[in-house]
Amino acid sequence: MPSRYGGILRQRRKAVRRNFCEQRKLTLAVFGTRYKPLNAYIYTHMIKRPFVLSGGGARGFAHIGVLKAFAEVGIYPEAISATSAGAMVGALIACGYTADEVHAMAADGRFFKLFSKTAFTNFRLSNAPMAEFLQHHLRYTNFEQLPIPFFVAATNLINGQQSIFNTGPIIPAVLAACAVPFVFDDVYINNIPHADGGMSSNLPVEPLLEHYTNIIGVYVNPLPDFNEKAGLGESIDRMMHLLLRENVLRSIAKCTLLIEPPNLKHYRMFEEKKKEQIITEGYNYTRSILQANAAK
């Protein structure tokens, strides 16, 4: 019996050493020599990196797949900065949910139950279903309670500047970040109307720059191909991408690693029914990037 258990222990030690080496190789491949290890546990089980999650409507479901792929190789958020759809996903992750758990929430129809008849008020969508979802699922009320530092970007409609929220109540900030103009009502915080953070910065890296390095940017709005025969909806969607692109490129330049799944250009902002395909796109593309970097 002792020899049998001794053999099992030796096998486990070998597996841990092998996993350690694989994770070390992957991390150095992705982040380069600037990465400084803390200890074997961090290498093997929990490498932490700051993430910035963009807006993108239904394309924001891709964030779930992206974070799941990173988690499978032992890389988890050290801090999260996000706006719009990214803020919805980021709020759940910052509360301590795993990407798999958030995926399970998305699979059930209540995740974005926004397009029912009862959601419409004054020809706009009400944010009440979103608020109800957050109230039911968030484990914490205020930013200060979160186990993972979380920054939410919205747009101040008085001066047009970016507003960053990382103190006080979480839900109003997330609702403001998701308030797409002409689709949702504005959200008032401190008596100031706020709307979708993508208008001021759709990849809000700014809150992370002072205290974090090796930032991972996740942008879910690849520029669709130019098509002179495109319909009105497709043309407007591409025009919005172009209007935001210059600011986004400046944010991308401040990230160490960018995840921008190219196939997401085939999905529209409100194609919530295709959420499983969108999650899969984010997951598969991120796995391919991580594997390619590890192979170098």
Side-chain angles (χ1 to χ4, degrees), residues 16-43:
V16 168
R17 284 195 296 269
R18 184 168 59 251
N19 191 30
F20 172 87
C21 293
E22 290 174 355
Q23 296 290 354
R24 184 176 189 278
K25 180 181 177 183
L26 174 62
T27 304
L28 290 174
V30 173
F31 297 108
T33 55
R34 287 181 295 170
Y35 178 78
K36 296 181 180 179
L38 296 178
N39 53 46
Y41 178 81
I42 295 295
Y43 260 143

Side-chain angles (χ1 to χ4, degrees), residues 46 48-53 67 76-83 86-87 89-97 140 142-153 164-168 170 174 204-205 207-213 215-216:
M46 196 178 290
K48 293 187 177 182
R49 282 288 167 262
F51 281 77
V52 53
L53 309 180
L67 292 170
Y76 297 86
E78 176 183 13
I80 299 171
S81 177
T83 192
V89 175
L92 295 166
I93 297 294
C95 277
Y97 288 105
Y140 305 94
N142 295 323
F143 283 92
E144 293 88 345
Q145 300 169 303
L146 294 170
I148 298 173
F150 184 43
F151 305 86
V152 174
I164 300 295
F165 299 99
N166 69 329
T167 60
I170 300 166
V174 174
V205 70
L208 302 176
L209 296 175
E210 185 175 353
H211 299 292
Y212 300 95
T213 59
I215 297 169
I216 300 172

Side-chain angles (χ1 to χ4, degrees), residues 60-61 64-65 67-68 85 87-114 129-140 272 275-276 279:
F61 281 109
I64 300 171
L67 292 170
K68 180 177 179 178
M88 278 288 289
V89 175
L92 295 166
I93 297 294
C95 277
Y97 288 105
T98 66
D100 281 327
E101 289 172 327
V102 179
H103 189 175
M105 292 179 199
D108 122 7
R110 293 172 297 176
F111 190 85
F112 270 127
K113 193 177 181 181
L114 303 177
M130 191 185 303
E132 182 181 345
F133 172 86
L134 292 170
Q135 288 167 357
H136 181 72
H137 289 286
L138 292 188
R139 293 168 172 167
Y140 305 94
E272 182 267 343
K275 58 192 173 189
E276 283 300 325
I279 291 170

